[in-house]
Amino acid sequence: MSDTIDEFLVTYLTDVHALEQQSIELLEKAIDIAGDPSAQQLYHGHLLETHEQKRYIRERLEAHGAGPSTTKDVASRAGAKGIGLTVQAAPDTPGKLAAFAFAFEHLEIASYELLRRLAARAGDGDTVEIADRILGEERSAADKIAATFDLVVERALQQRGLAG
Ligand SMILES: [Fe+2]
């Protein structure tokens, strides 16, 4: 309990960095599973955005003196630390994918809300700014995923010959 607020902030940054890495793995799989060009495009667009988000967070870690050795293996340790969701158990159908990806975006949203508040308490305005920006992108991604729900069900019904 003797961590400084700065060191504590680094643990939050490390965790969101691991989340972004998991998100990249999920979105790469999502492009294969989505099964519809518009959904594929959505996941691809957010994948590009996610690479950028991860870079922003890495820069904030570096600004706090946390070098590559701190950030390098966080993704592999993420599961063991209970961060994120098990991407290995990622869904194999467009419907389960949409639900899983929607949940993942909300996990990110909650994590950035917490990071933002801690950064504000630590007086780190740059991290607050980055968190706000990423929050906007994650919310927009979640909305776009939700907008696919109708299409996902419709296509699943069509594939089963159940579309009326
Ligand atoms: Fe995201």
Side-chain angles (χ1 to χ4, degrees):
M1 286 294 153
S2 59
D3 281 3
T4 63
I5 192 161
D6 203 60
E7 286 166 341
F8 190 39
L9 180 59
V10 165
T11 68
Y12 269 49
L13 283 165
T14 303
D15 288 353
V16 295
H17 188 268
L19 264 190
E20 293 299 356
Q21 180 55 40
Q22 282 194 327
S23 180
I24 287 168
E25 290 167 24
L26 173 64
L27 290 164
E28 283 171 347
K29 285 188 183 182
I31 294 165
D32 292 336
I33 300 164
D36 176 85
S38 63
Q40 277 174 332
Q41 208 170 31
L42 183 176
Y43 290 120
H44 180 69
H46 193 47
L47 175 62
L48 297 179
E49 221 166 39
T50 301
H51 277 290
E52 216 178 47
Q53 293 167 351
K54 188 183 159 198
R55 184 166 57 78
Y56 286 136
I57 296 302
R58 197 179 58 233
E59 284 169 6
R60 294 314 304 146
L61 277 163
E62 285 164 5
H64 285 273
S69 59
T70 315
T71 57
K72 207 174 82 183
D73 64 341
V74 286
S76 56
R77 287 190 286 114
K81 285 177 73 189
I83 300 163
L85 299 168
T86 311
V87 176
Q88 280 69 27
D92 55 354
T93 66
K96 285 189 263 180
L97 170 67
F100 193 92
F102 186 75
F104 201 94
E105 292 308 323
H106 284 83
L107 180 62
E108 290 183 299
I109 289 166
S111 301
Y112 279 106
E113 288 283 3
L114 296 171
L115 172 67
R116 188 199 182 287
R117 284 163 175 77
L118 181 61
R121 289 290 296 271
D124 179 355
D126 287 342
T127 296
V128 171
E129 209 175 295
I130 291 295
D132 275 338
R133 178 187 174 150
I134 295 177
L135 270 168
E137 292 173 350
E138 306 294 26
R139 288 211 168 87
S140 158
D143 287 348
K144 287 180 193 162
I145 293 165
T148 70
F149 291 163
D150 286 334
L151 178 73
V152 164
V153 170
E154 202 47 48
R155 284 184 65 99
L157 287 171
Q158 280 169 11
Q159 277 174 357
R160 286 160 184 76
L162 298 170

